[in-house]
Every structure is written in C-alpha cells, then in structure tokens.
Amino acid sequence: LTQREARAMGVLRNGSVCYAERGEGVYAILEDRRGTIWMGRKPGSVVRGRIRKCDNDAQGLRRLSQVLIGESEGYAESVYEMVEDSLGRIWMASFGGGIVCEGAVYGKGLQVRRLLLLADGRLFAATSSGLGMIDNIYSDSAVFRLYQREPQRANSLSSNAVMDIAQMGEKLYVATAGGGVDIADMAQWAGDSETSPVVFRHLTRQEGLASDAVYQLAVWNDSVLLIQENNGISLLHTDKGEVVNYGSSFFGMPMQMGEVRPVHWRGDTWLLSTSRGILAIADSAFRVLPDETRIAIRSVKKNGEAVDYAADRCDTI
C-alpha cells in the first residue's frame, strides 16, 4: 500500500484503508458512528472532519476537510489511540496527558499508547507505567487504577512498559516491551483487586515466543491471537496452547515491525506496518506445521565413521 513506514492505520466503514505515513505526525485514526474522521497528532492536538469527493476528480479520490480541535475544547495532545463509547463520546490516549474524554482526565501525566473499551464499561489502557483501568466509564464515580510490576510477586505484571491490550473470551492479553505477553482471567476484575491482586501468567521466549519485545496484539478469531514483535510476528493458538513464529525466513528478509496495530482487512488479509512500508498478507500464507514433522536422515555415522548403507531409506533414529 505504501513503501514508507506507517504511523497510523485503520479501515473505514466503507471498507477503504486509511493510513498516515511517517513524518505526517498522525498516530491515530478513528471514524465515529456519525461518519466523522478523527486524527490524533503528535505533537499537536486532534484534527477532525468528513471525507468528501473532489469535484474535479473523475476517479473519485477523497480528501479530508479538516477542523482543528484546540485545547479550549478540552481535547488531548499527542494522541495515540481513540475509542468511541455507547454515548458517542471519544476517549483519547494521550502520550503524556493520560486518558482524556470531553475535559475529564484519568491517570493525568501518564504516557498512554492504546485503549481497550469493553461492553461492560471497563476501559483498559496500555501505558509506559503499567496497565491502567477505569472500572466504569459510564459511572459518575468512576475509579482509575494502575497495575504495575511487583518485583516481590512473580505473577504480577512482567513489565511496566505496556504496549497494547486485547481480549479473547474470558482472557485479557497484555503486550509488554520486555516481558512478552501477560495473560489474566477477566473474572479477576469483578472483585476488589486492591485486596486480591491480579494474577498474570507470562508468555515469553521460554514458552516459545519469538521475542519478549512485543509491540501490538490483534484478535484473529475466537482461538488465534496475532502477536506483533519487534522483528516478526507470532500466532498464539489458545485452544492448543501453541505458538507459531514467523520471522525473516517467512518474510524473505529481515523485518522490523512498526508500532501500529495489525488490521484484518476484508476478512482475508492482514495489513502489517513495517519499516519498509505496509505489507498485505493473505490469511492462507500463515500455514501451521502439521502435528507430526517427518525427519529426513541424510547420513549416519557410528563412532565418527560413516555407516555404509542407504541412510535416506531410514525414517527412525
């Protein structure tokens, strides 16, 4: 789609891809239910507008009529992510300004990268200081909590450098920049987590992950989570508890992944942001190895001496 690194990427309601290349200063793109496009900028405030057809463009190319949203309207700066709630309010992840919504600020001063809004009103935030959570954004007495690494507790958050969050079924998945992926049961947030600390299970290189530096997460389906690392991607098959890694041999070259959440486009293609541009990869390209891998024996030696028989006829050691 582009040969330059993308800083933001998304799919609009009409199915077209909207992306911002490196250097444009746009880190977040959102189309709300009214058809308004919101773009978070770094540095700078938020831009919003509507897509319209150009009168003199026979090809139907579209341009954005922009309106700058200033500080006087209570919006954030350096916005990395935006989500819309059921009331039509836009919640913004500000890198250095916390979580902002129509003048209300939660976790003031935190560097927030990503947001995950659940149907029950809980809002999770990926921050440089840990995993943030607002217990109910629709409540007048909403409470913000920050979960951090506790060196004395092995099953706490593995790293405070949280990059992204995803939910699959009854599990919450937390991507960290140095501790791999942390996994926690959603039911743990139903009670008082102040008296009952949240327990995380860690998925790292020791458990088969290609790298502990995880940038982004994307849900493929009910049982597969796409994990984007610094130099490749992995697929976590939650039903089998297996990880399949795709590195330089899969891409055909060394690959540096960007900090943009992968997008599942048209139901059969993944869009991945890399330092070389946006890659479009068909679902069918991610082939899982069979359960049993055949071993081909090319030669046999005994006590350092070659054994004189047809080794390629053997299939058992």
Side-chain angles (χ1 to χ4, degrees):
L1 301 185
T2 173
Q3 299 304 307
R4 298 179 61 191
E5 182 179 351
R7 289 295 195 181
M9 184 168 55
V11 178
L12 306 183
R13 292 186 300 174
N14 63 8
S16 59
V17 178
C18 189
Y19 61 86
E21 294 178 339
R22 184 188 182 101
E24 295 175 352
V26 175
Y27 283 71
I29 301 172
L30 170 72
E31 181 180 18
D32 66 22
R33 67 185 68 180
R34 295 174 293 274
T36 300
I37 304 294
W38 299 72
M39 295 191 299
R41 304 192 307 168
K42 179 188 176 184
S45 192
V46 176
V47 171
R48 72 179 178 188
R50 288 182 175 273
I51 293 180
R52 58 179 175 84
K53 287 187 178 181
C54 299
D55 296 334
N56 60 349
D57 191 348
Q59 299 298 321
L61 295 178
R62 298 169 182 268
R63 294 180 181 174
L64 188 65
S65 177
Q66 300 178 357
V67 178
L68 182 65
I69 309 300
E71 291 183 359
S72 60
E73 299 184 58
Y75 288 97
E77 292 189 344
S78 299
V79 173
Y80 268 55
E81 174 86 314
M82 291 176 282
V83 296
E84 182 181 13
D85 66 19
S86 62
L87 301 179
R89 299 177 299 178
I90 305 298
W91 293 77
M92 302 181 183
S94 171
F95 199 77
I99 306 170
V100 182
C101 180
E102 297 184 351
V105 181
Y106 298 85
K108 186 176 182 179
L110 289 177
Q111 296 177 333
V112 186
R113 286 187 173 88
R114 292 284 178 258
L115 298 174
L116 175 66
L117 178 58
L118 305 186
D120 61 7
R122 281 178 292 182
L123 180 67
F124 288 92
T127 86
S128 298
S129 302
L131 174 66
M133 187 201 70
I134 302 175
D135 60 354
N136 187 353
I137 63 171
Y138 303 111
S139 171
D140 294 334
S141 57
V143 177
F144 174 82
R145 294 188 176 93
L146 185 65
Y147 301 90
Q148 297 180 303
R149 179 176 179 269
E150 303 171 36
Q152 72 280 7
R153 189 164 66 90
N155 55 13
S156 69
L157 199 67
S158 63
S159 170
N160 287 338
V162 177
M163 303 297 290
D164 200 5
I165 328 112
Q167 181 195 14
M168 288 180 61
E170 298 303 317
K171 302 288 185 183
L172 185 75
Y173 296 85
V174 182
T176 72
V181 178
D182 289 346
I183 308 169
D185 293 330
M186 294 299 304
Q188 296 184 85
W189 277 277
D192 186 358
S193 56
E194 296 297 320
T195 57
S196 301
V198 175
V199 174
F200 293 93
R201 179 169 62 87
H202 310 308
L203 178 64
T204 65
R205 292 184 62 183
Q206 187 173 350
E207 288 76 34
L209 204 61
S211 171
D212 289 340
V214 179
Y215 287 168
Q216 303 296 325
L217 304 173
V219 177
W220 189 327
N221 54 40
D222 293 340
S223 62
V224 180
L225 180 70
L226 190 148
I227 302 171
Q228 182 170 292
E229 296 131 353
N230 61 336
N231 54 7
I233 59 175
S234 299
L235 295 185
L236 171 62
H237 296 262
T238 59
D239 54 344
K240 302 178 181 179
E242 296 178 353
V243 177
V244 182
N245 299 315
Y246 300 87
S248 58
S249 60
F250 173 74
F251 294 105
M253 65 186 78
M255 192 60 63
Q256 185 69 32
M257 311 304 292
E259 294 183 17
V260 180
R261 185 179 291 153
V263 169
H264 205 205
W265 187 39
R266 296 178 176 174
D268 62 1
T269 304
W270 280 101
L271 303 181
L272 305 177
S273 172
T274 77
S275 59
R276 299 172 181 264
I278 297 176
L279 296 181
I281 304 179
D283 288 359
S284 58
F286 299 99
R287 296 185 177 89
V288 179
L289 293 175
D291 292 337
E292 295 183 3
T293 302
R294 184 175 181 272
I295 297 176
I297 301 175
R298 302 298 301 274
S299 65
V300 177
K301 290 184 178 181
K302 181 178 180 181
N303 293 333
E305 299 293 333
V307 177
D308 188 18
Y309 63 86
D312 60 348
R313 293 282 186 175
C314 301
D315 62 1
T316 304
I317 297 178

